[in-house]
Amino acid sequence: MDTQKGFLSLLSSGFILALFGLFARLLSQYTGNFSQVGVRMIIATIIVLPFIIMKKISLRTQYDNLLLFVVFILSFPIYIIFFTISVNTTKVANAFFYLFISSMLTAYIVGFILFKEKIDLQKVIVAIL
């Protein structure tokens, strides 16, 4: 396992995510929230689609997983819409704080309900912090 690649990937992802809120705030002076999201989705499609075609990655799914697949596909654009609105209506630091707190607490709750994970003292302390 190449931990240096993983570290650099996480570091660059964090850097891009940190700039994402700032760019959304700057772009809000020129365009609306939904226009920003639409352009981002088009750019993401232009970047990802050739990769999917070259690697011949199948997007087929079984019918019993179709609902989960649709929820997964729709949740990302909805997340981007909500995050863009949040960044443009609140402070950027608050938007990031609420994003990470809500995703962590949601992961705890969903893990507890769906995957029967145990909530131990360490998770409770992290949630309180």
Side-chain angles (χ1 to χ4, degrees):
M1 182 166 57
D2 190 0
T3 57
Q4 186 175 7
K5 272 187 180 178
F7 172 74
L8 291 176
S9 296
L10 285 174
L11 187 65
S12 59
S13 296
F15 181 72
I16 291 169
L17 187 59
L19 292 177
F20 184 74
L22 300 174
F23 287 147
R25 179 71 65 89
L26 288 173
L27 286 173
S28 70
Q29 298 171 5
Y30 307 105
T31 184
N33 294 329
F34 295 105
S35 300
Q36 286 185 40
V37 172
V39 169
R40 275 190 216 116
M41 293 299 130
I42 290 170
I43 291 171
T45 302
I46 290 171
I47 292 170
V48 171
L49 195 59
F51 179 77
I52 290 174
I53 292 170
M54 286 188 319
K55 295 287 187 174
K56 297 179 183 169
I57 297 172
S58 175
L59 296 178
R60 293 180 191 205
T61 184
Q62 298 171 351
Y63 285 112
D64 55 342
N65 295 334
L66 190 60
L67 178 63
L68 289 173
F69 184 71
V70 170
V71 168
F72 179 73
I73 294 296
L74 292 178
S75 64
F76 186 70
I78 292 171
Y79 149 72
I80 296 295
I81 290 169
F82 287 155
F83 183 73
T84 303
I85 292 170
S86 174
V87 163
N88 289 330
T89 57
T90 64
K91 294 180 180 178
V92 175
N94 286 349
F96 276 110
F97 176 76
Y98 297 141
L99 170 72
F100 290 116
I101 290 299
S102 63
S103 62
M104 184 174 56
L105 292 177
T106 302
Y108 285 167
I109 293 169
V110 170
F112 177 73
I113 293 172
L114 292 181
F115 302 114
K116 308 295 186 235
E117 292 181 357
K118 299 206 185 303
I119 297 180
D120 55 4
L121 182 63
Q122 182 181 7
K123 290 181 182 177
V124 171
I125 291 171
V126 168
I128 291 172
L129 289 176

